[in-house]
Amino acid sequence: MRELPTICVDSSEFVVSKLKDRGTHQAFGVVTNAQDFMHILKLYVERELTDRKAERAAGQTSKAPV
């Protein structure tokens, strides 16, 4: 079993602070509009997937017989 990080997104700093005050140390607090957060998250996930595909393609090319 491994620790799973939690992300708290809220437009109110009070909610994020309350989460930290309760001792939720594995939580990350983000004070922003949820729509903006989801848009940025989507961009980073898409970038990560593109990078992984490029790494796999490069790895398969280097393993090809000569």
Side-chain angles (χ1 to χ4, degrees):
M1 189 177 279
R2 67 179 204 202
E3 196 174 283
L4 180 65
T6 304
I7 302 173
C8 172
V9 180
D10 199 287
S11 59
S12 168
E13 188 175 341
F14 173 76
V15 174
V16 175
S17 296
K18 189 166 187 150
L19 180 70
K20 287 290 188 186
D21 291 344
R22 291 185 178 211
T24 310
H25 301 291
Q26 74 273 14
F28 298 98
V30 179
V31 180
T32 187
N33 175 321
Q35 182 178 359
D36 294 340
F37 175 78
M38 293 303 292
H39 177 70
I40 293 168
L41 179 63
K42 177 185 172 215
L43 291 175
Y44 277 96
V45 168
E46 288 174 345
R47 184 183 300 170
E48 180 67 23
L49 291 174
T50 302
D51 291 347
R52 287 183 184 189
K53 286 179 185 177
E55 287 175 4
R56 282 190 205 145
Q60 288 176 353
T61 305
S62 65
K63 293 180 181 178
V66 178

